[in-house]
């Protein structure tokens, strides 16, 4: 067989150009508003100071794209006054080049304890309660506890998640761009498929296509053919595409740090009526989850709506197979998976500005799986898609 669209990787890549209308970057004013919001939530939690470690949350508040390592890089946010940044002395140049807000930078040498700088800041502020970033490594938390034994440590999740879960218009625009880029890559990927192509070749094309659109490449990429689609995250093998295979492609990219994460499942040739029937049920479950979104409803209600569709079709119940083995969706933003979650037990009320994946996968054990994944954001009245769902098993839209 030729490719689904009869095209080649070179032709598809040659037709791609950097995104013509990139969304604006997050401004300093927006970051200052985030700081103000965090302080309001800190007051409600009884925290005198907040510590945010390197990673997505530090980027959210301070604009600093810095990965977590064994060296402490962090922001201390007092309930009043300038933010305080803790940074290795030899990294100062890189730190200053990346930081997106103003603050007091305090440096530590390689033979010093950065936790002592944290303790000093707590004492100077007369702080008795420190809210800890839940992503901060225990290594640092334990050393802060030892150096500041007078301070009560509390979970900062209500503060950090309370800020990050609700996306601003600027964040929604960046998320929309990332998802539009990945959807374009999906369409072009389907057109290069041909019998005998390896999953690794498709993965390389997807990464190159994301780069051609102006992203830094794929943040992840899963390409699964045939039986491998029955495993939600694939098998450790390089699948070879055959006529009659089901194809599952799950991939994403970044727009100024904000994620896409879109999955398409489609037929390569004649996949059989049983697979087409499951695809249709999956499509209905995804639509039911979307229709269940209402501000004020708990997140778990969306998961329940998808599962009701599957149960009516004789699948499941719960996490039993054939059926849906995982949650219906996850929050998304600067992290690809972030609170809240569309899963039983998460009673977080849905609110305008929240963003989620919608992916109630159906697995038929050891045979095949179908996952359709698009993302939506909560509006004042319901939900709005970032990307339109796939219309049919033979049509990516």
């Amino acid at each position: 067989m030729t490719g689904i669209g009869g095209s080649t990787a070179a032709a598809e890549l040659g037709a791609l150009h950097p995104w013509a209308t990139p969304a604006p970057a997050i401004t300093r004013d927006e970051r200052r508003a985030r700081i103000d919001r965090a302080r309001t939530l800190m007051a409600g939690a009884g925290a005198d100071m907040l510590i945010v470690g390197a990673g997505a949350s530090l980027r959210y508040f301070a604009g600093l794209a810095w990965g977590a390592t064994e060296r402490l890089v962090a922001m201390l946010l007092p309930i009043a006054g300038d933010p305080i940044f803790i940074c290795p002395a030899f990294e100062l140049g890189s730190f200053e080049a990346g930081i997106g807000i103003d603050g007091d930078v305090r440096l530590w040498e390689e033979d010093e304890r950065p936790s002592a700088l944290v303790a000093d800041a707590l004492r100077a502020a007369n702080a008795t309660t420190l809210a800890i970033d839940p992503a901060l490594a225990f290594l640092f938390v334990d050393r802060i506890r030892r150096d500041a034994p007078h301070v009560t440590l509390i979970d900062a999740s209500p503060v950090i998640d309370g800020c990050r879960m609700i996306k601003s218009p600027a964040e929604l625009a960046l998320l929309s761009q990332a998802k539009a880029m990945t959807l374009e890559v999906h369409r072009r990927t389907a057109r290069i498929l041909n019998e005998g192509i390896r999953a690794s070749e498709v993965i390389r094309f997807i990464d190159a296509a994301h780069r051609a659109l102006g992203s830094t490449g794929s943040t992840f990429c899963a390409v699964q053919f045939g039986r491998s689609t029955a495993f939600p995250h694939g098998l450790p093998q390089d699948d070879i595409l055959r006529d009659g295979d089901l194809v599952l492609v799950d991939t994403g990219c970044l727009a100024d740090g904000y994620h896409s994460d879109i999955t398409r499942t489609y037929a390569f040739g004649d996949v059989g009526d049983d697979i087409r029937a499951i695809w249709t049920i999956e499509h209905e479950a995804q639509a039911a989850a979307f229709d269940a979104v209402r501000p004020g409803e708990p997140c778990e209600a969306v998961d329940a709506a998808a599962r009701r569709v599957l149960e009516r079709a004789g699948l499941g119940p719960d996490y039993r197979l054939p059926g849906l083995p995982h949650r219906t969706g996850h929050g998304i933003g600067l992290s690809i998976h972030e609170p809240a979650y569309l899963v039983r037990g998460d009673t977080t009320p849905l609110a305008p500005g929240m963003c989620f994946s919608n992916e109630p996968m159906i697995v038929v054990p050891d045979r095949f799986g179908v996952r359709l994944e698009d993302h939506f954001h909560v509006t004042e009245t319901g939900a709005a898609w970032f990307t339109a769902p796939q219309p049919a098993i033979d049509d990516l839209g």
Side-chain angles (χ1 to χ4, degrees):
M1 290 182 67
T2 60
I4 291 174
S7 190
T8 66
E12 294 298 334
L13 290 175
L16 292 173
H17 305 283
W19 204 247
T21 55
I26 302 299
T27 65
R28 282 180 176 259
D29 284 345
E30 180 158 333
R31 296 195 197 284
R32 282 192 283 267
R34 294 171 179 180
I35 294 287
D36 291 342
R37 171 65 175 160
R39 284 179 165 143
T40 298
L41 295 173
M42 287 167 60
D48 302 312
M49 193 171 288
L50 166 70
I51 184 168
V52 179
S57 292
L58 186 59
R59 183 168 190 169
Y60 177 84
F61 288 111
L64 183 66
W66 199 288
T69 70
E70 79 284 2
R71 294 184 174 100
L72 181 64
V73 174
M75 178 185 76
L76 288 168
L77 181 64
I79 199 73
D82 291 336
I84 299 166
F85 294 101
I86 308 296
C87 175
F90 78 96
E91 296 277 28
L92 179 60
S94 300
F95 181 92
E96 289 180 332
I99 196 70
I101 61 171
D102 297 328
D104 178 14
V105 181
R106 301 184 184 180
L107 305 176
W108 58 278
E109 300 290 355
E110 289 279 73
D111 60 346
E112 296 176 331
R113 299 190 324 279
S115 55
L117 291 179
V118 177
D120 289 345
L122 289 163
R123 279 191 291 269
N126 293 316
T128 59
T129 304
L130 175 64
I132 301 285
D133 179 352
L136 191 65
F138 176 80
L139 166 73
F140 302 132
V141 177
D142 186 54
R143 291 176 180 175
I144 291 168
R145 181 186 293 115
R146 294 182 188 184
D147 282 339
H150 63 290
V151 173
T152 299
L153 307 184
I154 64 172
D155 180 14
S157 294
V159 177
I160 293 175
D161 295 345
C163 290
R164 288 182 57 188
M165 280 195 302
I166 307 298
K167 272 61 179 183
S168 69
E171 290 179 287
L172 293 177
L174 288 164
L175 285 164
S176 182
Q177 177 189 333
K179 296 171 201 309
M181 292 165 74
T182 291
L183 189 57
E184 179 64 19
V185 170
H186 268 292
R187 294 189 184 107
R188 293 178 182 275
T189 298
R191 295 203 286 261
I192 72 158
L193 296 185
N194 57 80
E195 189 167 12
I197 196 170
R198 288 186 173 273
S200 57
E201 297 176 65
V202 181
I203 290 169
R204 287 194 293 273
F205 170 81
I206 290 170
D207 184 69
H210 275 136
R211 292 178 186 278
L213 288 173
S215 182
T216 53
S218 303
T219 52
F220 70 97
C221 188
V223 175
Q224 299 157 235
F225 304 144
R227 174 177 172 267
S228 289
T229 64
F231 300 83
H233 291 145
L235 293 170
Q237 62 191 37
D238 191 7
D239 290 343
I240 299 174
L241 184 61
R242 302 299 183 200
D243 187 16
D245 275 348
L246 193 65
V247 175
L248 189 155
V249 179
D250 184 355
T251 189
C253 70
L254 295 175
D256 197 29
Y258 286 83
H259 284 268
S260 60
D261 178 11
I262 299 174
T263 307
R264 291 291 178 260
T265 303
Y266 46 95
F268 185 76
D270 183 6
V271 295
D273 291 344
D274 57 341
I275 292 178
R276 291 176 179 275
I278 291 293
W279 193 99
T280 298
I281 297 168
E282 165 75 359
H283 194 257
E284 292 171 357
Q286 190 191 40
F290 179 84
D291 291 342
V293 176
R294 293 289 184 277
E297 287 292 306
C299 285
E300 65 181 0
V302 180
D303 182 75
R307 291 183 192 278
R308 283 194 294 271
V309 172
L310 271 60
E311 289 172 18
R312 286 197 298 268
L315 301 169
D318 299 321
Y319 299 99
R320 298 176 197 168
L321 301 180
L324 170 52
H326 55 62
R327 64 196 175 205
T328 292
H330 55 80
I332 191 165
L334 284 170
S335 299
I336 194 165
H337 293 176
E338 62 183 45
Y341 298 96
L342 305 180
V343 66
R344 182 186 303 152
D346 193 330
T347 59
T348 306
L350 295 167
M354 286 183 168
C355 300
F356 295 96
S357 72
N358 182 350
E359 49 178 320
M361 181 180 193
I362 299 175
V363 170
V364 178
D366 209 38
R367 291 193 58 218
F368 66 89
V370 178
R371 182 165 69 249
L372 302 175
E373 180 183 10
D374 294 277
H375 293 223
F376 65 85
H377 60 93
V378 182
T379 69
E380 296 292 340
T381 57
W385 290 114
F386 283 105
T387 49
Q390 184 180 336
I393 193 171
D394 299 302
D395 182 5
L396 268 68

